[in-house]
Amino acid sequence: MGKITRFINDESGATAIEYALIAALMAAAIITALGTFSTDLKSAFTKIGTTLTTKTK
């Protein structure tokens, strides 16, 4: 009976799972943000690249 009680009261794995869930939520938020701003980022880098190649000619 003592082993079952210790197993039920053990919370060491719960902390690891909580950190994994937080990391997964942060990754999902970053992926969503990058997907939202990808068009703006692409046009900004294209404009910068065009400006740099135009100025060097």
Side-chain angles (χ1 to χ4, degrees):
M1 192 68 172
K3 289 183 180 183
I4 295 173
T5 305
R6 260 187 289 144
F7 179 74
I8 292 172
N9 291 332
D10 186 18
E11 296 183 4
S12 61
T15 304
I17 291 171
E18 289 170 356
Y19 283 128
L21 287 173
I22 291 170
L25 288 173
M26 290 176 63
I30 290 170
I31 290 169
T32 303
L34 289 177
T36 303
F37 298 118
S38 65
T39 306
D40 295 334
L41 286 173
K42 182 179 179 181
S43 64
F45 282 116
T46 303
K47 183 177 178 181
I48 291 169
T50 303
T51 304
L52 289 174
T53 53
T54 305
K55 299 289 182 181
T56 57
K57 288 183 179 181

